[in-house]
């Protein structure tokens, strides 16, 4: 099987770039299963019902979230949709699902969303312990386990990769909007990359208008962010998984 994970969609520009590029990627690479991080799709913060429907219209299998999960109140209308998952290590009792199990090509595929705790300013439980608990619970029920770890610190994400090596099939990082060049198959057979990047305006500061971003850093005043304009990019990874062993055998950046 071939899996495609697409980095944080930034605003309508990111959604439009997804619509533009995805058909060609699916056809050329023969993609079976697609995961998209949508937590920035509502102009950089959260997701609206319209954004959600727009993304699903592209036959996306799973939409993951992150620190901006609750950025738009719209999300409470569709938070229980089976194709939407939010970080599993949010405090107990929070609405929505932190993971779900999907069927594709006669394989049972679990997708888990986690959020980091280093420099991300979101109240959450320990992602390592929660990941371990979920995987121990479902490992005998599924063939493939995929983790989107939405975290700021590279060290935290790399540590998670080694922590779950051999337990998860694929682990990829999101949140920084900057794609890393460390894609690899770890010793236990897990495909790993620290961050898959973003899908949105190319000439920007992680998707945001350059001058507005500079003003914030220069003055320390709360300048309102706005989405940059112009040419867009699509970042992500394609992972090939062996049908017999359910181990990752190839990972490449796009």
């Amino acid at each position: 099987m071939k899996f495609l994970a697409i980095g944080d969609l930034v605003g309508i520009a990111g959604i439009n770039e997804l619509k533009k590029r995805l058909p060609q990627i699916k056809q050329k690479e023969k993609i079976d299963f697609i995961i998209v991080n949508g937590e920035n799709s509502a102009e950089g913060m959260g997701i609206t019902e319209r954004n959600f429907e727009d993304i699903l219209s592209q036959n996306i299998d799973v939409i993951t979230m992150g620190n901006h999960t609750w950025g738009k109140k719209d999300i409470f209308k569709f938070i229980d949709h089976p194709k939407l998952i939010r970080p599993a290590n949010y405090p107990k009792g929070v609405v929505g699902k932190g993971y779900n199990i999907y069927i594709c090509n006669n394989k049972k595929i679990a997708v888990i969303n986690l959020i980091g705790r280093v420099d991300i300013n979101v109240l959450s439980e320990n992602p390592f312990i929660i990941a371990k608990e979920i995987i121990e619970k479902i490992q005998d029920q599924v063939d493939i386990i995929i983790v989107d770890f939405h975290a700021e610190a590279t060290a935290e994400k790399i540590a998670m990769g080694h922590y779950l090596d051999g337990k998860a099939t694929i682990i990829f990082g999101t949140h920084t909007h900057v794609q890393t060049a460390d894609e690899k198959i770890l010793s236990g057979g897990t495909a790993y990359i620290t961050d898959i990047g973003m899908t949105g305006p190319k000439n920007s500061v992680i998707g945001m208008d350059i001058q507005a971003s500079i003003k914030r850093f220069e003055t320390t005043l709360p300048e309102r962010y706005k989405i940059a304009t112009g040419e867009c990019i699509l970042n992500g990874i394609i992972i090939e998984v062996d049908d017999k062993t359910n181990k990752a055998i190839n990972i490449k950046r796009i």
Side-chain angles (χ1 to χ4, degrees):
M1 287 185 69
K2 276 192 171 182
F3 294 82
L4 170 65
I6 296 175
D8 304 39
L9 299 181
V10 181
I12 297 298
I15 294 174
N16 288 339
E17 186 69 6
L18 174 73
K19 292 179 177 180
K20 177 181 175 182
R21 302 292 182 188
L22 187 58
Q24 181 182 357
I25 295 170
K26 285 172 66 175
Q27 183 179 21
K28 179 182 177 182
E29 300 288 348
K30 296 180 172 54
I31 301 298
D32 298 293
F33 194 89
I34 305 169
I35 304 166
V36 172
N37 187 286
E39 70 127 24
N40 293 129
S41 54
E43 297 311 290
M45 186 173 291
I47 187 170
T48 66
E49 189 169 24
R50 180 181 175 184
N51 300 148
F52 183 66
E53 290 172 355
D54 258 1
I55 298 168
L56 286 186
S57 73
Q58 302 307 297
N59 295 317
I60 303 303
D61 295 286
V62 190
I63 299 172
T64 55
M65 298 297 287
N67 57 303
H68 294 311
T69 297
W70 317 116
K72 296 289 182 288
K73 291 182 180 179
D74 257 20
I75 196 169
F76 293 103
K77 299 176 185 176
F78 53 90
I79 188 66
D80 291 319
H81 193 286
K83 289 192 174 185
L84 179 72
I85 58 174
R86 47 80 176 157
N89 56 317
Y90 274 157
K92 293 189 187 320
V94 172
V95 294
K97 298 180 180 69
Y99 72 94
N100 212 345
I101 297 171
Y102 307 88
I103 297 176
C104 181
N105 294 359
N106 296 316
K107 296 284 187 179
K108 290 184 178 180
I109 302 161
V111 182
I112 304 170
N113 194 188
L114 297 167
I115 194 165
R117 297 201 298 179
V118 179
D119 297 331
I120 207 164
N121 299 319
V122 172
L123 180 64
S124 63
E125 297 181 31
N126 189 317
F128 290 80
I129 301 304
I130 297 300
K132 182 181 179 182
E133 290 176 352
I134 293 172
I135 289 174
E136 287 178 349
K137 178 181 177 181
I138 67 173
Q139 61 188 354
D140 295 329
Q141 306 170 34
V142 301
D143 302 297
I144 293 166
I145 296 174
I146 303 171
V147 178
D148 173 355
F149 190 22
H150 197 81
E152 178 76 26
T154 54
E156 190 179 19
K157 290 193 268 193
I158 292 168
M160 181 67 79
H162 290 292
Y163 185 69
L164 297 182
D165 184 23
K167 300 178 178 69
T169 310
I170 303 165
I171 301 170
F172 61 88
T174 55
H175 178 65
T176 70
H177 295 202
V178 179
Q179 190 181 70
T180 53
D182 62 341
E183 72 279 10
K184 67 193 76 172
I185 306 294
L186 298 172
S187 60
T190 296
Y192 172 83
I193 186 171
T194 299
D195 204 286
I196 60 174
M198 72 166 194
T199 299
K202 180 179 181 179
N203 189 28
S204 68
V205 176
I206 63 171
M208 301 299 151
D209 179 79
I210 292 172
Q211 293 307 315
S213 299
I214 289 173
K215 188 173 180 181
R216 286 178 67 107
F217 286 111
E218 185 180 44
T219 67
T220 71
L221 296 174
E223 178 75 13
R224 183 178 177 84
Y225 273 132
K226 58 183 179 180
I227 303 294
T229 58
E231 181 185 1
C232 288
I233 55 171
L234 182 146
N235 285 172
I237 51 167
I238 295 171
I239 311 98
E240 188 173 359
V241 174
D242 186 276
D243 290 332
K244 293 181 181 178
T245 65
N246 295 322
K247 297 287 188 180
I249 53 177
N250 189 49
I251 176 173
K252 71 175 181 177
R253 288 178 287 127
I254 55 170

